[in-house]
Amino acid sequence: MEDLDQTFIQAPEHRADSNSIPNQPEEIPVIDLSRLNDPEDIQNVISEIGDACETWGFFQVINHGVPCDARKRVEETVKIFFDLPMEEKIKVKRDEVNPAGYHDGEHTKNVRDWKEVFDIYFKDPMVMPSSTDPEDEGLRVVYNKWPQFPSDYREACQEYAGHAEKLAFRLLELISLSLGLPKERFHDYFKEQMSFFRINRYPPCPRPDLALGVGHHKDADVISLLAQDDVGGLQISRRSDGVWFPIRPVPNALVINIGNCMEVWTNDKYWSAEHRVVVNSTRERYSIPFFLLPSHDVEVKPLEELLSPENPPRYKGYKYGKFYVSRNRSDFKKLEIQNIQIDDFKVVT
Ligand code: OGA
Ligand code: NI
């Protein structure tokens, strides 16, 4: 990644300085989850989460129960791996059949991202559709890939993922309550969850004005839980006017955001915000998102309980696994057309 190849160059309207107000003091909420220990405060926490999901689609949590030690361990271990020579890293490279492992050529919206990633499925093995063809019911079983070195890579990652998944379900329950639904309303959708977590490494970039670490996108999952280091670079687009705001790194906090599935389930009440990652020319940055995904056979559509004659469904249903594999196609190469997006399932009114 020494020279800035053409494939990295963002269109002018998508570059780091476009439409952003980096010094604006407005911030997404930081919610202290230890308040849930106080029975009198629980309802306040739930409504603050609901408000954040509606207004921003993003919030941060502190005192969230993911132990600092587990996070520190995974951060240190993955750094040892990413510092290895390329010939070592590509031994665990992902391919068109198995999306788990190391990868450095990801594209978002057909422009290459300035990053390296390592993807790990929460369930190992994980079941996903074998093709994008809606008529084809074939399934594929995929296994994680693990490097030989550092030797505790697998253990450190699995330990962290276990904690992140637990928190993801806790948050899902709080979100469900914030919608006036039973706590466990969503649980059945995760029997064969396709959740995965990802290590992102953003190397210093010679032209942060032209390239992005991740181009503007919405996450295709239910919710994401992101651990970011202290470098900063994540920006989100405000729901009310599309202006870009930075997400300030808060020590030991996790950044939570709503993905496409939750947006569809709530018929657009909760917002899946566009976000992007700005890079810089001096410091590398790491982030570790955990993406909570439903089972491949779940039909994602607006929840009946939230619909009414005044609030008719805004989306057609879609099979989650097919959506996921269709989106993944563009990770390997620049396609002639934009890959599948949630808006393709919008009901035209
Ligand atoms: C992502 C993402 C943000 C970050 O991986 O989908 O949005 O700060 N990452 O790395
Ligand atoms: Ni994202």
Side-chain angles (χ1 to χ4, degrees), residues 99 120 126 137 149 153 156 180 184 191 195 201 211 221 287 320 330 338 343:
I120 300 160
M126 202 270 299
E137 293 186 1
F149 182 81
Y153 190 92
E184 303 199 336
K191 289 191 177 129
S195 302
R201 173 180 180 259
D221 58 352
S287 72
Y320 190 72
S330 72
Q338 176 165 294
D343 284 349

Coordinates of all heavy atoms in Angstrom, one line a residue, residues 99 120 126 137 149 153 156 180 184 191 195 201 211 221 287 320 330 338 343:
P99 N -15.1 -16.6 3.4 CA -14.8 -15.2 3.8 C -14.1 -15.0 5.1 O -13.8 -13.8 5.4 CB -16.2 -14.5 3.8 CG -17.2 -15.6 3.8 CD -16.5 -17.0 3.6
I120 N -13.5 -13.1 11.6 CA -13.6 -14.3 12.4 C -15.1 -14.5 12.7 O -15.8 -13.7 13.3 CB -12.9 -14.2 13.8 CG1 -11.4 -14.0 13.5 CG2 -13.1 -15.4 14.7 CD1 -10.7 -13.4 14.7
M126 N -19.7 -22.1 10.5 CA -20.9 -21.2 10.3 C -21.5 -21.6 9.0 O -20.9 -22.0 8.0 CB -20.4 -19.8 10.2 CG -21.4 -18.7 10.5 SD -22.2 -18.1 9.1 CE -20.9 -17.5 8.1
E137 N -31.2 -23.4 -2.8 CA -31.3 -23.5 -1.4 C -30.0 -24.1 -0.8 O -30.0 -24.5 0.4 CB -32.5 -24.3 -1.0 CG -33.8 -23.6 -1.3 CD -35.1 -24.2 -0.8 OE1 -35.0 -25.3 -0.2 OE2 -36.1 -23.7 -1.1
F149 N 1.0 -18.1 14.3 CA 1.7 -17.2 15.2 C 1.0 -15.9 15.2 O 0.6 -15.4 14.1 CB 3.2 -17.0 14.7 CG 4.0 -16.1 15.6 CD1 4.5 -16.6 16.7 CD2 4.1 -14.8 15.2 CE1 5.3 -15.7 17.6 CE2 4.9 -13.9 16.0 CZ 5.4 -14.4 17.2
Y153 N -3.4 -16.3 19.4 CA -4.3 -15.5 18.6 C -5.8 -16.0 18.8 O -6.7 -15.2 19.1 CB -3.8 -15.5 17.2 CG -4.5 -14.6 16.2 CD1 -3.9 -13.3 16.0 CD2 -5.7 -14.9 15.5 CE1 -4.5 -12.4 15.1 CE2 -6.2 -14.0 14.7 CZ -5.7 -12.8 14.4 OH -6.2 -11.9 13.6
A156 N -7.3 -15.6 22.3 CA -7.5 -14.2 22.7 C -8.8 -13.7 21.9 O -9.6 -13.0 22.5 CB -6.3 -13.3 22.3
G180 N -41.0 -1.1 23.2 CA -42.3 -1.5 23.9 C -42.6 -3.0 23.6 O -43.7 -3.5 23.7
E184 N -37.3 -10.5 24.9 CA -36.6 -11.6 24.1 C -37.3 -11.6 22.7 O -37.1 -12.7 22.0 CB -36.7 -12.9 24.8 CG -36.0 -12.8 26.2 CD -35.6 -14.1 26.8 OE1 -36.3 -15.1 26.4 OE2 -34.7 -14.1 27.6
K191 N -30.7 -18.3 16.0 CA -30.4 -19.7 16.3 C -29.1 -20.2 15.6 O -28.3 -21.0 16.1 CB -31.6 -20.6 16.0 CG -32.7 -20.4 16.9 CD -33.8 -21.5 16.8 CE -34.9 -21.2 17.8 NZ -36.2 -21.2 17.2
S195 N -23.1 -14.0 13.0 CA -22.3 -12.9 13.5 C -20.8 -13.2 13.3 O -20.3 -14.3 13.3 CB -22.5 -12.9 15.0 OG -23.9 -12.6 15.3
R201 N -7.2 -2.9 10.6 CA -6.0 -2.1 10.8 C -5.9 -1.0 9.7 O -5.9 -1.4 8.5 CB -4.7 -2.9 10.8 CG -3.4 -2.1 10.8 CD -2.2 -2.9 10.8 NE -1.0 -2.0 10.8 CZ -0.3 -1.7 9.7 NH1 -0.6 -2.2 8.5 NH2 0.7 -0.9 9.9
A211 N -8.1 9.3 0.1 CA -8.6 7.9 0.4 C -9.3 7.9 1.7 O -9.2 8.8 2.5 CB -7.4 7.0 0.5
D221 N -25.9 -5.4 9.4 CA -26.2 -6.4 10.4 C -27.4 -5.9 11.3 O -28.2 -5.0 10.8 CB -24.9 -6.6 11.3 CG -24.4 -5.2 11.9 OD1 -24.9 -4.2 11.5 OD2 -23.5 -5.3 12.8
S287 N -9.3 -0.9 15.0 CA -10.7 -1.0 15.6 C -11.1 -2.5 15.5 O -10.7 -3.2 14.6 CB -11.6 -0.1 14.8 OG -11.9 -0.6 13.5
Y320 N -32.1 -13.1 4.9 CA -30.9 -12.5 5.3 C -29.6 -13.1 4.7 O -28.8 -12.4 4.2 CB -30.7 -12.5 6.8 CG -29.6 -11.6 7.2 CD1 -29.7 -10.3 7.0 CD2 -28.3 -12.2 7.5 CE1 -28.6 -9.4 7.2 CE2 -27.3 -11.3 7.6 CZ -27.4 -10.0 7.5 OH -26.3 -9.1 7.7
S330 N -18.9 -8.0 -3.8 CA -18.1 -6.9 -4.2 C -16.8 -6.7 -3.4 O -16.0 -5.8 -3.6 CB -18.9 -5.6 -4.2 OG -19.1 -5.3 -2.8
Q338 N -23.1 -0.8 -8.5 CA -23.0 -0.8 -7.0 C -23.6 -2.1 -6.5 O -24.6 -2.6 -7.1 CB -23.8 0.4 -6.5 CG -23.9 0.5 -5.0 CD -24.4 1.8 -4.5 OE1 -23.7 2.8 -4.6 NE2 -25.5 1.8 -3.9
D343 N -31.8 -0.3 0.4 CA -32.8 0.5 -0.3 C -33.4 -0.2 -1.4 O -34.5 0.1 -1.9 CB -32.3 1.9 -0.7 CG -32.1 2.8 0.5 OD1 -32.7 2.5 1.5 OD2 -31.5 3.9 0.3

